[in-house]
Amino acid sequence: VTMEKANTSFPSYNELDDYLTRRNSNFVLLLVATITSCGWIIYLTYYNSRNIGLILTLIINRLYKNGYIHIGSFSFSVLSGKVMFRDVSFINEDMSIRIQDGLLIFRWWKMYNPKQKQHDPKAETRLYVTVNGFEFHVYNRTDLYSRLQEIFGLEPTLIPPHRDEEKEREQRDKSLESVHIKAETQDPSSSWRSLIPVIKVNISTGRVAFGNHHLPQTLCMNFDDAFLTYATKPPSSHLDQFMHIVKGSLENVRVMLVPSPRYLGLQNDEPPRLMGEGFVVMQSNDVDIYYYQDEPGNHCFRDLSRDLCKKSHDLFPQHDA
Protein backbone atom coordinates (compact mmCIF):
# COMPACT_ATOMS: atom_id res chain seq x y z
CA VAL A 1 0.00 0.00 0.00
CA THR A 2 2.83 2.39 0.86
CA MET A 3 4.51 1.69 -2.50
CA GLU A 4 1.27 2.49 -4.38
CA LYS A 5 0.91 5.77 -2.49
CA ALA A 6 4.49 6.66 -3.27
CA ASN A 7 3.96 5.96 -6.97
CA THR A 8 0.71 7.92 -7.22
CA SER A 9 1.85 10.96 -5.19
CA PHE A 10 3.13 14.08 -6.97
CA PRO A 11 6.96 14.17 -7.12
CA SER A 12 8.76 16.68 -4.97
CA TYR A 13 11.03 19.41 -6.27
CA ASN A 14 14.21 17.43 -5.54
CA GLU A 15 12.86 14.32 -7.23
CA LEU A 16 11.85 16.36 -10.29
CA ASP A 17 15.29 18.00 -10.39
CA ASP A 18 17.02 14.62 -10.24
CA TYR A 19 14.75 13.27 -12.96
CA LEU A 20 15.53 16.18 -15.32
CA THR A 21 19.25 15.95 -14.54
CA ARG A 22 19.38 12.27 -15.49
CA ARG A 23 17.46 12.88 -18.74
CA ASN A 24 19.19 16.01 -20.09
CA SER A 25 17.03 18.77 -18.58
CA ASN A 26 18.29 21.43 -21.01
CA PHE A 27 16.65 19.70 -23.94
CA VAL A 28 13.37 19.24 -22.04
CA LEU A 29 13.25 22.89 -21.00
CA LEU A 30 14.05 23.97 -24.55
CA LEU A 31 11.24 21.81 -25.88
CA VAL A 32 8.74 23.22 -23.36
CA ALA A 33 9.82 26.82 -24.07
CA THR A 34 9.54 26.26 -27.83
CA ILE A 35 6.04 24.79 -27.60
CA THR A 36 4.92 27.58 -25.25
CA SER A 37 6.36 30.28 -27.52
CA CYS A 38 4.70 28.79 -30.61
CA GLY A 39 1.36 28.64 -28.83
CA TRP A 40 1.68 32.24 -27.63
CA ILE A 41 2.63 33.48 -31.12
CA ILE A 42 -0.34 31.64 -32.66
CA TYR A 43 -2.66 33.18 -30.07
CA LEU A 44 -1.34 36.71 -30.66
CA THR A 45 -1.56 36.29 -34.44
CA TYR A 46 -5.02 34.77 -34.82
CA TYR A 47 -7.02 35.10 -31.60
CA ASN A 48 -5.87 38.07 -29.51
CA SER A 49 -7.39 40.78 -31.74
CA ARG A 50 -10.65 38.83 -32.00
CA ASN A 51 -10.92 38.45 -28.25
CA ILE A 52 -10.26 42.17 -27.78
CA GLY A 53 -12.96 42.95 -30.36
CA LEU A 54 -15.41 40.68 -28.55
CA ILE A 55 -14.67 42.35 -25.20
CA LEU A 56 -15.03 45.84 -26.70
CA THR A 57 -18.33 44.84 -28.33
CA LEU A 58 -19.74 43.65 -25.01
CA ILE A 59 -18.57 46.74 -23.10
CA ILE A 60 -19.77 49.28 -25.70
CA ASN A 61 -23.20 47.69 -26.10
CA ARG A 62 -23.57 47.57 -22.32
CA LEU A 63 -22.96 51.32 -22.12
CA TYR A 64 -24.56 52.47 -25.40
CA LYS A 65 -28.30 51.78 -25.69
CA ASN A 66 -29.30 53.66 -28.88
CA GLY A 67 -28.04 51.05 -31.31
CA TYR A 68 -25.86 47.99 -31.77
CA ILE A 69 -22.10 48.15 -32.36
CA HIS A 70 -20.07 45.14 -33.46
CA ILE A 71 -16.27 44.94 -33.65
CA GLY A 72 -14.90 41.75 -35.19
CA SER A 73 -11.25 42.32 -34.30
CA PHE A 74 -9.25 45.15 -32.79
CA SER A 75 -5.52 45.62 -32.33
CA PHE A 76 -3.18 48.53 -31.73
CA SER A 77 0.50 49.37 -31.67
CA VAL A 78 1.76 52.14 -29.41
CA LEU A 79 5.16 52.43 -31.10
CA SER A 80 3.76 53.08 -34.58
CA GLY A 81 0.58 54.81 -33.36
CA LYS A 82 -1.54 52.41 -35.39
CA VAL A 83 -5.02 51.08 -34.59
CA MET A 84 -6.34 48.25 -36.78
CA PHE A 85 -9.92 47.00 -36.88
CA ARG A 86 -11.98 44.56 -38.90
CA ASP A 87 -15.68 43.78 -39.41
CA VAL A 88 -17.02 46.92 -37.71
CA SER A 89 -20.73 47.72 -37.91
CA PHE A 90 -23.14 50.18 -36.33
CA ILE A 91 -26.90 49.62 -36.63
CA ASN A 92 -29.83 51.58 -35.25
CA GLU A 93 -33.43 52.26 -36.28
CA ASP A 94 -32.44 54.83 -38.93
CA MET A 95 -29.18 53.77 -40.56
CA SER A 96 -26.36 51.27 -40.67
CA ILE A 97 -22.61 51.70 -41.15
CA ARG A 98 -20.38 48.77 -42.05
CA ILE A 99 -16.61 48.65 -42.51
CA GLN A 100 -14.83 45.56 -43.74
CA ASP A 101 -11.43 46.53 -42.37
CA GLY A 102 -9.32 49.60 -41.81
CA LEU A 103 -6.59 51.25 -39.83
CA LEU A 104 -6.02 54.53 -38.04
CA ILE A 105 -2.58 56.09 -37.68
CA PHE A 106 -2.02 58.80 -35.10
CA ARG A 107 1.38 60.39 -35.60
CA TRP A 108 2.12 61.14 -31.96
CA TRP A 109 5.80 61.74 -32.70
CA LYS A 110 4.99 64.95 -34.57
CA MET A 111 5.92 68.05 -32.63
CA TYR A 112 2.91 69.68 -30.97
CA ASN A 113 2.85 73.46 -30.87
CA PRO A 114 0.18 74.85 -28.50
CA LYS A 115 0.53 78.28 -30.13
CA GLN A 116 -0.37 76.91 -33.55
CA LYS A 117 -3.42 78.38 -35.25
CA GLN A 118 -6.54 76.51 -34.28
CA HIS A 119 -8.13 76.67 -37.75
CA ASP A 120 -5.32 76.15 -40.23
CA PRO A 121 -6.28 74.07 -43.31
CA LYS A 122 -2.61 73.91 -44.36
CA ALA A 123 -1.41 72.44 -41.07
CA GLU A 124 0.44 69.15 -40.87
CA THR A 125 -1.62 65.96 -40.92
CA ARG A 126 -1.46 64.10 -37.63
CA LEU A 127 -4.39 61.67 -38.06
CA TYR A 128 -4.63 59.34 -41.06
CA VAL A 129 -7.53 56.92 -41.62
CA THR A 130 -7.75 54.14 -44.23
CA VAL A 131 -10.98 52.18 -44.72
CA ASN A 132 -11.72 49.25 -47.01
CA GLY A 133 -15.24 48.12 -47.86
CA PHE A 134 -17.29 51.06 -46.50
CA GLU A 135 -21.11 50.88 -46.59
CA PHE A 136 -23.53 53.55 -45.40
CA HIS A 137 -27.26 52.82 -45.65
CA VAL A 138 -30.05 55.19 -44.59
CA TYR A 139 -33.36 53.31 -44.47
CA ASN A 140 -35.43 55.28 -41.98
CA ARG A 141 -36.01 58.75 -40.49
CA THR A 142 -37.63 58.09 -37.17
CA ASP A 143 -37.33 61.64 -35.84
CA LEU A 144 -39.13 63.07 -38.86
CA TYR A 145 -41.87 60.44 -38.71
CA SER A 146 -42.46 61.04 -35.01
CA ARG A 147 -42.63 64.79 -35.62
CA LEU A 148 -45.25 64.27 -38.32
CA GLN A 149 -47.25 62.04 -35.98
CA GLU A 150 -47.13 64.76 -33.36
CA ILE A 151 -48.21 67.45 -35.84
CA PHE A 152 -51.19 65.44 -37.10
CA GLY A 153 -52.18 64.34 -33.60
CA LEU A 154 -51.54 60.64 -34.14
CA GLU A 155 -50.50 58.20 -31.46
CA PRO A 156 -46.74 57.57 -31.41
CA THR A 157 -46.07 54.13 -32.86
CA LEU A 158 -42.43 54.38 -33.95
CA ILE A 159 -40.70 55.59 -30.79
CA PRO A 160 -41.64 54.36 -27.31
CA PRO A 161 -43.02 56.99 -24.89
CA HIS A 162 -39.95 56.92 -22.63
CA ARG A 163 -37.77 58.04 -25.54
CA ASP A 164 -40.15 60.92 -26.18
CA GLU A 165 -39.79 61.98 -22.57
CA GLU A 166 -36.01 61.84 -22.84
CA LYS A 167 -36.08 63.99 -25.98
CA GLU A 168 -38.39 66.52 -24.34
CA ARG A 169 -36.04 66.66 -21.37
CA GLU A 170 -33.06 67.22 -23.66
CA GLN A 171 -34.88 69.98 -25.53
CA ARG A 172 -35.81 71.59 -22.22
CA ASP A 173 -32.20 71.48 -21.08
CA LYS A 174 -31.05 72.99 -24.37
CA SER A 175 -33.59 75.79 -24.07
CA LEU A 176 -32.36 76.54 -20.56
CA GLU A 177 -28.76 76.53 -21.70
CA SER A 178 -29.56 78.97 -24.49
CA VAL A 179 -30.49 81.58 -21.89
CA HIS A 180 -26.93 81.74 -20.58
CA ILE A 181 -24.23 83.53 -22.48
CA LYS A 182 -21.55 81.22 -23.80
CA ALA A 183 -18.42 82.38 -25.50
CA GLU A 184 -15.97 80.13 -27.25
CA THR A 185 -12.58 80.07 -25.65
CA GLN A 186 -9.78 81.48 -27.73
CA ASP A 187 -7.13 79.23 -26.21
CA PRO A 188 -6.15 76.77 -28.97
CA SER A 189 -4.76 74.26 -26.47
CA SER A 190 -8.26 73.71 -25.05
CA SER A 191 -9.60 72.25 -28.30
CA TRP A 192 -8.85 68.98 -30.06
CA ARG A 193 -8.63 70.87 -33.34
CA SER A 194 -5.33 72.36 -32.27
CA LEU A 195 -3.95 68.84 -31.76
CA ILE A 196 -5.54 67.36 -34.92
CA PRO A 197 -6.04 70.28 -37.32
CA VAL A 198 -6.21 68.12 -40.47
CA ILE A 199 -7.60 64.60 -40.95
CA LYS A 200 -7.00 62.58 -44.11
CA VAL A 201 -9.33 59.71 -44.99
CA ASN A 202 -8.86 57.17 -47.78
CA ILE A 203 -11.75 54.85 -48.64
CA SER A 204 -11.41 51.89 -50.95
CA THR A 205 -14.63 50.45 -52.41
CA GLY A 206 -17.46 52.43 -50.85
CA ARG A 207 -21.23 52.33 -51.17
CA VAL A 208 -23.93 54.77 -50.01
CA ALA A 209 -27.61 53.76 -50.19
CA PHE A 210 -30.93 55.47 -49.43
CA GLY A 211 -34.12 53.41 -49.29
CA ASN A 212 -35.90 50.47 -47.67
CA HIS A 213 -38.19 47.56 -48.56
CA HIS A 214 -41.26 49.84 -48.55
CA LEU A 215 -39.97 51.64 -51.66
CA PRO A 216 -39.75 50.05 -55.10
CA GLN A 217 -36.32 51.56 -55.83
CA THR A 218 -33.24 52.23 -53.70
CA LEU A 219 -30.81 54.99 -54.60
CA CYS A 220 -27.22 53.71 -54.47
CA MET A 221 -23.91 55.44 -55.08
CA ASN A 222 -20.86 53.24 -55.61
CA PHE A 223 -17.25 54.36 -55.91
CA ASP A 224 -13.90 52.64 -56.07
CA ASP A 225 -11.61 55.06 -54.25
CA ALA A 226 -12.16 58.21 -52.22
CA PHE A 227 -9.49 60.62 -50.97
CA LEU A 228 -10.91 63.09 -48.45
CA THR A 229 -9.33 65.79 -46.29
CA TYR A 230 -11.11 67.37 -43.34
CA ALA A 231 -10.02 70.66 -41.82
CA THR A 232 -11.43 73.79 -40.24
CA LYS A 233 -10.87 77.47 -40.88
CA PRO A 234 -12.14 80.74 -39.40
CA PRO A 235 -15.87 81.32 -39.98
CA SER A 236 -17.30 83.66 -42.56
CA SER A 237 -19.44 85.34 -39.88
CA HIS A 238 -18.41 86.55 -36.44
CA LEU A 239 -21.49 84.84 -34.96
CA ASP A 240 -20.16 81.38 -35.89
CA GLN A 241 -17.43 79.39 -34.19
CA PHE A 242 -15.58 77.96 -37.19
CA MET A 243 -16.14 76.46 -40.63
CA HIS A 244 -15.95 72.76 -41.54
CA ILE A 245 -14.13 71.98 -44.78
CA VAL A 246 -14.17 68.65 -46.61
CA LYS A 247 -12.25 68.41 -49.86
CA GLY A 248 -11.52 65.33 -51.88
CA SER A 249 -12.05 63.31 -54.99
CA LEU A 250 -13.91 60.12 -55.93
CA GLU A 251 -12.98 57.67 -58.65
CA ASN A 252 -15.34 55.56 -60.77
CA VAL A 253 -18.54 56.98 -59.30
CA ARG A 254 -21.85 55.45 -60.33
CA VAL A 255 -25.30 56.48 -59.06
CA MET A 256 -28.03 53.91 -59.69
CA LEU A 257 -31.65 53.11 -58.92
CA VAL A 258 -31.66 49.50 -57.74
CA PRO A 259 -34.86 47.47 -57.18
CA SER A 260 -35.46 46.92 -53.47
CA PRO A 261 -35.02 43.21 -52.67
CA ARG A 262 -38.03 42.70 -50.37
CA TYR A 263 -40.49 45.15 -51.92
CA LEU A 264 -43.94 43.55 -52.25
CA GLY A 265 -46.01 46.59 -53.21
CA LEU A 266 -47.52 47.55 -56.54
CA GLN A 267 -45.52 49.13 -59.32
CA ASN A 268 -47.45 52.30 -60.19
CA ASP A 269 -44.79 53.45 -62.64
CA GLU A 270 -42.91 51.30 -65.08
CA PRO A 271 -39.42 50.59 -63.76
CA PRO A 272 -36.56 52.11 -65.74
CA ARG A 273 -34.44 50.01 -68.03
CA LEU A 274 -31.92 48.12 -65.93
CA MET A 275 -28.23 48.02 -66.82
CA GLY A 276 -26.48 45.40 -64.73
CA GLU A 277 -27.41 45.93 -61.08
CA GLY A 278 -29.84 48.76 -61.76
CA PHE A 279 -30.66 51.88 -63.76
CA VAL A 280 -27.62 54.15 -63.98
CA VAL A 281 -28.58 57.76 -63.20
CA MET A 282 -25.08 59.23 -63.30
CA GLN A 283 -21.63 57.86 -63.98
CA SER A 284 -18.25 59.57 -63.89
CA ASN A 285 -14.61 58.58 -63.67
CA ASP A 286 -13.59 61.48 -61.42
CA VAL A 287 -15.70 63.59 -59.06
CA ASP A 288 -14.32 66.45 -56.97
CA ILE A 289 -15.96 67.27 -53.63
CA TYR A 290 -15.97 70.67 -51.93
CA TYR A 291 -18.13 70.88 -48.81
CA TYR A 292 -18.27 73.87 -46.47
CA GLN A 293 -20.42 74.23 -43.34
CA ASP A 294 -20.37 76.86 -40.61
CA GLU A 295 -20.58 75.76 -36.99
CA PRO A 296 -23.16 77.99 -35.24
CA GLY A 297 -21.95 79.98 -32.28
CA ASN A 298 -23.24 79.63 -28.73
CA HIS A 299 -24.59 83.15 -28.46
CA CYS A 300 -27.59 84.22 -26.50
CA PHE A 301 -30.78 84.63 -28.53
CA ARG A 302 -31.96 87.19 -26.03
CA ASP A 303 -29.10 89.52 -26.94
CA LEU A 304 -29.78 89.02 -30.64
CA SER A 305 -33.46 89.80 -30.24
CA ARG A 306 -32.58 92.86 -28.16
CA ASP A 307 -30.26 94.09 -30.91
CA LEU A 308 -32.94 93.50 -33.53
CA CYS A 309 -35.49 95.41 -31.48
CA LYS A 310 -33.03 98.26 -31.04
CA LYS A 311 -32.35 98.41 -34.76
CA SER A 312 -36.07 98.32 -35.58
CA HIS A 313 -36.65 101.13 -33.07
CA ASP A 314 -33.94 103.20 -34.73
CA LEU A 315 -35.41 102.59 -38.18
CA PHE A 316 -39.01 103.18 -37.14
CA PRO A 317 -39.03 105.69 -34.25
CA GLN A 318 -42.29 106.20 -32.42
CA HIS A 319 -43.61 109.79 -32.32
CA ASP A 320 -45.86 111.08 -29.58
CA ALA A 321 -49.29 112.26 -30.70
Side-chain angles (χ1 to χ4, degrees), residues 229-272:
T229 301
Y230 169 80
T232 59
K233 72 175 186 178
S236 57
S237 174
H238 68 280
L239 298 177
D240 298 328
Q241 298 182 20
F242 55 89
M243 179 184 292
H244 300 278
I245 303 175
V246 177
K247 294 183 180 180
S249 61
L250 304 178
E251 296 181 357
N252 298 329
V253 181
R254 185 170 54 176
V255 180
M256 300 181 299
L257 285 174
V258 180
S260 299
R262 295 184 298 169
Y263 177 72
L264 301 177
L266 299 176
Q267 290 282 356
N268 296 327
D269 299 330
E270 293 184 2

Side-chain angles (χ1 to χ4, degrees), residues 152-285:
F152 290 101
L154 302 176
E155 295 183 359
T157 58
L158 297 175
I159 301 179
H162 66 275
R163 289 193 179 182
D164 290 338
E165 294 175 0
E166 291 178 359
K167 288 190 175 183
E168 290 177 0
R169 193 181 304 109
E170 291 177 359
Q171 292 178 358
R172 194 182 306 111
D173 295 338
K174 289 181 180 179
S175 62
L176 292 176
E177 290 177 359
S178 63
V179 178
H180 303 284
I181 300 176
K182 296 182 181 179
E184 184 189 9
T185 177
Q186 300 297 327
D187 187 10
S189 62
S190 62
S191 175
W192 62 269
R193 288 182 298 275
S194 61
L195 178 63
I196 311 175
V198 179
I199 301 175
K200 288 189 176 181
V201 180
N202 291 350
I203 302 175
S204 177
T205 312
R207 181 185 181 96
V208 180
F210 300 91
N212 52 38
H213 65 278
H214 295 289
L215 299 175
Q217 305 290 331
T218 299
L219 182 64
C220 299
M221 183 184 71
N222 300 337
F223 56 88
D224 289 344
D225 296 298
F227 306 95
L228 305 175
T229 301
Y230 169 80
T232 59
K233 72 175 186 178
S236 57
S237 174
H238 68 280
L239 298 177
D240 298 328
Q241 298 182 20
F242 55 89
M243 179 184 292
H244 300 278
I245 303 175
V246 177
K247 294 183 180 180
S249 61
L250 304 178
E251 296 181 357
N252 298 329
V253 181
R254 185 170 54 176
V255 180
M256 300 181 299
L257 285 174
V258 180
S260 299
R262 295 184 298 169
Y263 177 72
L264 301 177
L266 299 176
Q267 290 282 356
N268 296 327
D269 299 330
E270 293 184 2
R273 183 170 59 91
L274 302 181
M275 299 173 60
E277 297 181 2
F279 177 75
V280 178
V281 179
M282 186 196 73
Q283 187 172 359
S284 177
N285 292 330

